[in-house]
Each structure stands twice: as structure tokens, then as C-alpha cells.
Amino acid sequence: MSNWRIKLDIKEGSSGNVTPGSVSGFRDSSSSFTFANDGLPPLPSQRQRRASMQDAIDLKKIDAKLYDRKQLCRQHSLTSNEEENLGAINCSLQYNKETHLLSVNIIQAEDLVACDVISGTSNPYCKVSLLPDHKSQLQTRVHKKTLAPKFDEEFIFDISPSKLPNCYLEILVFNYDQFSTHDCIGQVKIALLDSLNLTDKVVMWKGISPYQEEGNKSKDVGEVMFSLSYLSSAERLTVVVMKARNLKLAADESKLLDPYVKVSILCDGKRIKKKKTSTVHVTHEPVWNEALVFNIGKELLKRLSAEFQIFHDNTIGNDELVGRVKIGYDTLGDGKIHWNDLMASNSAVPRWHELQE
């Protein structure tokens, strides 16, 4: 315990007797003591005064970033914490009543979910639809390893003014995965387009919501995985049908299947070649790993597309179609991406594709 010391000041020539008058600090009964503090907390009078609600605000201590106008505008457009966690899309809309053209510009996205836990990033792209009239989906380019892609891509929809009030814009944000089904990060819906003043360009931030599949969309009948490669020197297209998963007939989902794959090569929409795999029996998860080779001239390659049809091999009656998928220069979405990968690469490019009824 620290000792308190009373500071004494004895004058020379004194008799040596200590009296209140000879000790500094003891001049009278109202005089104060002088103490030396050895490590003890300061007395109340020595403590630093705390700021109160009545004090003037020190502007130098305010972080201006907390009041950034862009961030405030963006937060205002989000409707829930869940949307904030999934990120946001920046887009613009403009409608020309004379030409009946709706212009949609996907500008950028921010704060997307990281689908790759190792790198902490995603490979995002967007699919854009004007529903319910335009069921086909237009698609942006894929941006690799980022959570804040800069798209800056414009899409045009032809829609009459009378139908515009019943339409809504749907933007689906996906994570590209070369070896698996693409994950849907979330969606943005912009309804009642006629309520917006689209004569002038409208720029907005919209929060991304969890994806909710519409009830009228096609049933899930499974997926198929295949690769394509083209050997230019031999003018040979090789299609390797690898496997499928979760195959089911729309009429009887529990039925075990005897599936095979029919591959057709089309030029400008006309079927010019076709081949098929062997049949794998009694399964929902067939594995083929069969290579189908097509002799295709280089001058035709840019005009081609390939259609994959999976059938259930019926011993009695006609074979039943399970589902199909088409890829090529004239397709959209995953089919277009896979075909572009083929054109840009000399090696086989495998991908999963969702089957359509």
C-alpha cells in the first residue's frame, strides 16, 4: 500500500518544534494539503472530464465515409437485411414509346455472396428476362473471381405500350461453375414498369432477394454432363457423353429408367448428323463415358449447334423422352457459354447442363 507523504517546509533557525504555523500547507484551518501520489488513481478534480450531450460537436472526429451519399441511397433501396447480405444490382431502364423498345442496362453489382470458400470470390453473371411475354433469357458475360463485377451490358426488349403494365423485369444472378450446376445467387424483380417514368433513363440500385422458382416453370427432370472438343487439323468434332443425374420422367418420377443419349448436329437449324450412346439399365444416375465422333468441316463449325436428347428405352412401345438440351452459336445461356468455350479452346471442355422437358 502506497504511503502518503505530507510535504514539510521547516524554516532555518527554528527551534525544531513543528507547529502548524511552521508547516507549509497548515497556514490555517481552511488551508489545503499538498500530496504526492505514488501510482494511485487521480483525485476527482484531476480526472479528464467526459464529453456530454451539451458539448459542441468536433467535426474533425466524424468519419465522413459513414455518411457517403452513394451508400445511403443504396441502403434506402434495400428492403431487408437478407437482401443486403446477398448484394445489390445497379441497372437502368428506358422505354421508347414510338419504337416500342425497352432498353435495360445491367451496370454493375456489389457485395455478392462468395460461392468459392477458398478464394472468397464468385464468378458472377446475370440472366435477364421480361416476363411473362419474353420467356427467353438474355445473358451477360461471366466475370471471374469477383464480388463486384462491372457488367455495363445493354439488352433490348420489344414490347407494346399496352402490354407493358402487365410485365416485370427479372434479373437472375448466377455463379459460373465449369464442372457443376451453376448456383443461383439470387434475383431482382422490377414490377409495374409503366408506373416508372421511362421516357427518360431511370437508374436504380435494387437489393438481391433469394431466388424463388415460379410455379409455371418446367419440372426438374435431371442434368447431363458432356464435353466437346474440335481437332482443326483433322476437322473432327468429338463429343464425350459422360453421365447424368437425378433423371426422372415427368409422368412418373419414381420409375427407374433405361436411359440413352441421342446427339444430333444441326447446321443452320437443319439436322445433318446424329449418333447415340448405349443404354444403361435401371438407374437414375447413368454413366456412359462414350465418345461420339463427327467429321465437320471448319467452314461449317461457326454455323453449328448440337442437341442432346435423353430417352428411356422402352421394351414395348415408343421410347419416352426424359429431357433435352441444346448448345450452339444460336442458343442462349449455358448453351451459348459452352459453345464459346469450345470455339476458344483446343482441349475438351466438360459441363453440366439442366435438361428441359
Side-chain angles (χ1 to χ4, degrees):
M1 183 174 182
S2 301
N3 295 322
W4 293 82
R5 300 191 303 275
I6 300 178
K7 197 173 179 183
L8 301 179
D9 185 12
I10 302 176
K11 298 180 180 179
E12 292 185 11
S14 67
S15 62
N17 295 325
V18 180
T19 65
S22 65
V23 180
S24 62
F26 276 87
R27 295 184 183 86
D28 53 43
S29 60
S30 63
S31 299
S32 60
F33 289 84
T34 302
F35 292 95
N37 187 349
D38 290 344
L40 290 179
L43 295 175
S45 61
Q46 296 173 312
R47 291 175 186 165
Q48 184 177 1
R49 192 173 71 86
R50 295 181 180 178
S52 72
M53 295 291 290
Q54 308 301 324
D55 291 343
I57 297 174
D58 187 350
L59 298 178
K60 295 180 181 180
K61 296 181 179 180
I62 297 177
D63 186 356
K65 294 180 180 179
L66 297 176
Y67 300 89
D68 183 79
R69 183 175 183 83
K70 175 184 173 183
Q71 294 296 329
L72 287 175
C73 293
R74 183 167 158 228
Q75 290 171 8
H76 179 72
S77 70
L78 304 179
T79 58
S80 70
N81 291 332
E82 189 171 32
E83 289 181 345
E84 172 68 18
N85 292 337
L86 295 178
I89 288 285
N90 182 206
C91 63
S92 69
L93 306 174
Q94 188 170 19
Y95 184 66
N96 189 319
K97 293 183 178 180
E98 296 180 358
T99 61
H100 297 181
L101 296 181
L102 174 68
S103 173
V104 179
N105 187 14
I106 307 299
I107 302 171
Q108 61 183 323
E110 285 189 357
D111 300 332
L112 297 181
V113 174
C115 295
D116 187 340
V117 295
I118 297 177
S119 66
T121 62
S122 294
N123 301 319
Y125 67 92
C126 296
K127 292 182 178 181
V128 185
S129 303
L130 186 63
L131 301 175
D133 277 19
H134 294 68
K135 296 183 179 180
S136 61
Q137 294 178 321
L138 305 178
Q139 184 171 307
T140 68
R141 296 185 298 274
V142 176
H143 291 251
K144 298 291 184 70
K145 297 185 181 301
T146 179
L147 300 180
K150 308 293 184 182
F151 296 109
D152 195 21
E153 294 188 46
E154 187 175 34
F155 304 95
I156 304 297
F157 296 95
D158 187 352
I159 182 75
S160 66
S162 61
K163 292 184 177 181
L164 193 62
N166 299 319
C167 291
Y168 66 92
L169 187 71
E170 180 186 67
I171 305 172
L172 301 180
V173 185
F174 284 88
N175 173 60
Y176 170 83
D177 190 332
Q178 182 175 348
F179 301 106
S180 184
T181 305
H182 300 178
D183 295 323
C184 185
I185 296 175
Q187 68 180 0
V188 168
K189 289 186 177 181
I190 305 174
L192 301 176
L193 297 179
D194 64 322
S195 66
L196 300 173
N197 182 13
L198 299 180
T199 304
D200 298 324
K201 181 182 291 186
V202 177
V203 182
M204 65 186 75
W205 279 97
K206 298 293 288 184
I208 299 174
S209 304
Y211 176 59
Q212 296 179 348
E213 189 172 2
E214 300 292 339
N216 59 356
K217 291 192 176 181
S218 61
K219 293 183 179 179
D220 177 16
V221 293
E223 297 172 285
V224 62
M225 185 181 192
F226 53 83
S227 70
L228 299 95
S229 61
Y230 185 74
L231 185 58
S232 181
S233 59
E235 297 189 333
R236 186 173 66 222
L237 175 67
T238 301
V239 178
V240 179
V241 181
M242 304 170 75
K243 54 186 175 180
R245 61 188 179 191
N246 302 324
L247 293 184
K248 57 181 74 77
L249 291 171
D252 186 359
E253 295 185 359
S254 61
K255 181 179 180 179
L256 289 173
L257 306 179
D258 300 326
Y260 67 89
V261 182
K262 181 186 291 185
V263 181
S264 301
I265 304 299
L266 301 92
C267 181
D268 296 330
K270 182 180 179 180
R271 185 174 282 102
I272 59 174
K273 296 178 184 290
K274 62 181 179 180
K275 291 186 179 183
K276 69 175 185 176
T277 68
S278 60
T279 299
V280 180
H281 296 281
V282 194
T283 182
H284 293 296
E285 312 276 337
V287 176
W288 292 283
N289 285 331
E290 294 185 35
L292 307 178
V293 179
F294 301 90
N295 295 318
I296 302 292
K298 287 182 284 188
E299 70 280 359
L300 292 179
L301 192 60
K302 293 182 179 180
R303 299 160 52 195
L304 295 185
S305 57
E307 183 180 48
F308 295 76
Q309 296 173 296
I310 297 185
F311 287 90
H312 167 57
D313 191 354
N314 271 328
T315 54
I316 301 175
N318 297 328
D319 295 344
E320 296 178 77
L321 177 65
V322 179
R324 72 181 78 205
V325 64
K326 183 180 178 183
I327 72 170
Y329 79 99
D330 58 347
T331 58
L332 299 171
D334 294 344
K336 181 70 170 180
I337 293 175
H338 200 172
W339 193 259
N340 289 342
D341 289 343
L342 165 69
M343 301 296 290
S345 175
N346 293 325
S347 59
V349 183
R351 281 181 61 103
W352 281 102
H353 289 270
E354 185 177 348
L355 294 168
Q356 304 295 323
E357 292 183 88

